Amino acid sequence: MTDSTRLSAHEVAAHFRTGDLSSRDATTAAIEAAERGNRALNAWLSIDRERALAEADAADARLRAAHASGAAAVGALHPLLGVPVALKDLVSIKGGQCTAGSRILEGYRAPYDAHVTERLRAVGAVIVGKTNMDEFAMGSSTEHSAFGPTANPWDLERVPGGSSGGSAAAVAAYHVPLAIGTDTGGSIRQPAALTGIVGMKPTYGRVSRYGIVAFASSLDQIGPFARDAQDAAALLHAVAGRDERDSTSAPVPVPDGLLHLTASDDEAAAGLRGKRLGLPKEYFVAGMEPGTEARVRAAVGALEAAGAIVEEVSLPHTDYGLAAYYIVAPAEASANLARYDGIRYGPAARDGDILANYLATRGAGFGDEVKRRIMLGTYALSAGYYDAFYVKAQKVRTLIKGDFDAVWAAGFDAIVAPTSPGVAFRFGAKMDDPVAMYLNDACTLPVNMAGLPGVSIPCGLADGLPVGLQFIGAPWTELGLLELARGYEALTEDAEWRALEPTDLALSLDPAVPTPVERTAVAGTRA
Amino acid sequence: MATLSRDEVAHVAHLARLGLSEAELSRLEGQLNHILEQYAKLAELDTEAIAPTAQTIELENILRDDVATPSLPVEEALANAPERRGDFIVVPAIMSGE
């Protein structure tokens, strides 16, 4: 038995079924990897060994019972049974911490399980712990966490992307094969791209957000991180579907095909033949790094060589996406974050009358980026500016959605595009310039504005750092997108870069290496 | 497009119930105005005849039967309160007098 942390979830599941690996062993290995790597990476905000091992033992009991009843019972087991998984620290686990990366939720204990937590428990997945994130999911680097930044296992001096940077780093660094993130403007796909893994933002309404800390409610969506398309599909299947406690979760059937993405490379590659893919010219944005563009164009060439029909398309309002998003998202955030008042939960500053308490609690509890967005949103919604900003942005949103609708109406199966304009950047590089930081999301946030599914998959390295390829589809086409992703994986199965592990993975296990907090303190980048 | 004066930044902070230091207000004045400049790009688009999009999946109203279901017990709902007395959360008086 090789080191189980190097296996994908479906490989772990296969070992469970042959009986040469137990969930307790796989979970123990995951916890040890997470604990060893966390000094250098700061990917985890909490690890609950006791609970995880109890869940692992329960999974092992189910595995043993299935083995005792025969092959049919073993075959019917869920592929995630007993598999270690990480949750972004904005997913509620009853009785557990849920900081959303913020001081204002320090000490808060979730009073109930999120829908996602319940579903993972139901299929028997093992929740190892909670991962680091930009505060309230606002950011593209995980540098905005109140608990220090997360490092990228490809280069410990660089960010893993964000906001779900902890989940991405934990999967990329082989702590766990699977993790849950959320994506409001790219917060799953961009960190997946920057750490060289698979990350999917499903269609708005695909996964119930009950028990998730809200950022921008018309944009937020929950999705999977994994090291391959098959695993991402299985995790999405486990958590997707209608839940009456989130009225925005849609009564749309979840395709069982997500559990059965083909394992055959030949079959997966053959599936690309005749697929019509649109290549949006506006996504090769000004300021895009040449290495990233070259990798993405090479990947598109490989898809074409495999029989996909690639045609340039235009999404003419792309350039307006950033400005419209940075009105809509902060406006919704300013409303959602009004609840953090120090009265019902969270730290409370006492400073006189109730108004003074609000000012003190919120002034001390929120970090710089969150304050910036609350200010932007409050301004955009204030009397006299509502039409000029918020309504205008919502109208532009209609135009952005219309751009995509025209592509689907023209018969395209999907759009293929870069995920991010560049590779992982150094700590501090964009911390003093919010607009430069926001540009990271230029290729991902239009997808949230239009409510569409999108997946980022690794497509090689530029300057030794991972580059992401993004597939975007019409609503509810997650299965088709993951089949395209699986097809591209098959084409590049033997590519040299696929065999490489993250450059600083070994270094991340060195107990003498500086923590990300120490690194950024030296660089003088923390406000 | 509008620019924000220092006083307006302080007013918005008050509306948002954010207690900010003088240094924070100064920094935000510059940053917010820089971001507002980016918003100006939207004025290039004629959206007179365009309907706004508030959500994308076009679900109709989602209704459920009006029946009582179990909800969070009081003890659990109050467990995170910074200060409580019996089944109540303690806050400073918001009205003067008796």
Side-chain angles (χ1 to χ4, degrees), chain A residues 15 103 225 275 299 358 434:
Chain A
H15 282 286
R103 294 271 172 226
F225 286 101
K275 285 282 185 300
Y358 288 153

Side-chain angles (χ1 to χ4, degrees), chain A residues 94 109 204 242 319-320 326 343-345 355 357 359 362-363 371-372 375 379 392 394-395 398 449, chain B residues 2 9 16-17 19 24 31 39 41-42 44-45 47 50-51 53 56-57 62 76 80-82 89 92:
Chain A
K94 185 174 180 170
R109 298 277 156 187
Y204 184 78
R242 167 84 184 139
D319 215 17
Y320 302 93
Y326 277 97
I343 288 178
R344 290 154 298 162
Y345 45 80
L355 176 62
N357 287 357
L359 295 174
R362 292 163 62 79
K371 286 174 179 168
R372 203 146 48 223
M375 291 287 288
Y379 179 62
K392 179 81 182 184
Q394 286 191 313
K395 289 179 167 189
T398 304
M449 293 291 271
Chain B
V9 173
R17 302 292 185 259
E24 284 180 304
Q31 288 173 338
Y39 291 173
K41 185 165 181 56
L42 297 182
E44 292 170 11
L45 292 173
T47 51
I50 307 295
T53 293
T56 49
I57 50 172
I62 305 289
E76 290 177 34
N80 280 298
I89 292 169

Side-chain angles (χ1 to χ4, degrees), chain A residues 40-94:
Chain A
L41 294 174
N42 198 31
W44 299 81
L45 293 181
S46 66
I47 295 169
D48 194 333
R49 176 185 281 265
E50 202 177 317
R51 185 193 62 221
L53 290 177
E55 289 174 3
D57 289 343
D60 283 330
R62 282 166 74 173
L63 281 158
R64 276 194 302 276
H67 279 293
S69 354
V74 174
L77 291 172
H78 194 278
L80 301 192
L81 174 64
V83 177
V85 51
L87 300 182
K88 187 175 182 177
D89 201 22
L90 48 49
V91 181
S92 299
I93 301 176
K94 185 174 180 170

Side-chain angles (χ1 to χ4, degrees), chain A residues 126-430:
Chain A
V126 174
I127 299 168
V128 170
K130 308 289 292 292
T131 55
N132 200 7
M133 56 184 285
D134 282 302
E135 184 175 3
F136 286 103
M138 297 175 189
S140 311
S141 69
T142 315
E143 292 170 287
H144 294 301
S145 169
F147 307 103
T150 294
N152 191 322
W154 286 87
D155 181 343
L156 298 180
E157 293 179 358
R158 291 175 189 265
V159 304
S163 66
S164 313
S167 284
V171 172
Y174 297 100
H175 300 168
V176 282
L178 297 170
I180 288 288
T182 56
D183 189 316
T184 304
S187 283
I188 293 174
R189 290 160 290 156
Q190 184 255 12
L194 270 46
T195 58
I197 61 171
V198 177
M200 174 171 247
K201 178 233 170 253
T203 312
Y204 184 78
R206 182 59 103 178
V207 182
S208 164
R209 301 173 300 178
Y210 177 76
I212 305 291
V213 177
F215 162 16
S217 298
S218 80
L219 302 164
D220 297 343
Q221 186 53 207
I222 298 162
F225 286 101
R227 287 193 294 269
D228 66 31
Q230 274 180 274
D231 280 5
L235 180 53
L236 174 61
H237 186 272
V239 299
R242 167 84 184 139
D243 165 30
E244 65 178 22
R245 298 167 300 184
D246 174 0
S247 58
T248 66
S249 78
V252 174
V254 179
D256 284 332
L258 289 168
L259 284 177
H260 309 291
L261 282 199
T262 181
S264 153
D265 285 343
D266 288 346
E267 203 180 304
L272 296 169
R273 218 167 291 141
K275 285 282 185 300
R276 279 190 72 202
L277 304 177
L279 185 66
K281 58 182 180 189
E282 294 86 356
Y283 277 49
F284 295 88
V285 293
M288 187 168 193
E289 292 170 16
T292 297
E293 173 158 359
R295 290 317 313 153
V296 170
R297 292 211 184 266
V300 172
L303 291 165
E304 226 171 347
I309 303 155
V310 179
E311 293 166 48
E312 191 174 271
V313 295
S314 179
L315 299 168
H317 296 95
T318 300
D319 215 17
Y320 302 93
L322 201 68
Y325 175 88
Y326 277 97
I327 292 171
V328 171
E332 295 182 7
S334 72
N336 272 326
L337 271 60
R339 74 190 67 176
Y340 302 102
D341 54 12
I343 288 178
R344 290 154 298 162
Y345 45 80
R350 292 286 185 245
D351 189 30
D353 66 7
I354 195 152
L355 176 62
N357 287 357
Y358 288 153
L359 295 174
T361 297
R362 292 163 62 79
F366 291 131
D368 289 343
E369 180 62 22
V370 173
K371 286 174 179 168
R372 203 146 48 223
R373 301 225 192 166
I374 291 174
M375 291 287 288
L376 278 173
T378 303
Y379 179 62
L381 292 175
S382 63
Y385 297 103
Y386 181 82
D387 287 333
F389 290 118
Y390 190 61
V391 175
K392 179 81 182 184
Q394 286 191 313
K395 289 179 167 189
V396 175
R397 188 172 185 182
T398 304
L399 296 172
I400 291 168
K401 185 170 180 292
D403 287 353
F404 287 105
D405 288 342
V407 173
W408 314 138
F412 285 92
D413 292 294
I415 286 167
V416 59
T419 306
S420 171
V423 294
F425 46 92
R426 290 185 183 282
F427 286 127
K430 302 181 182 185

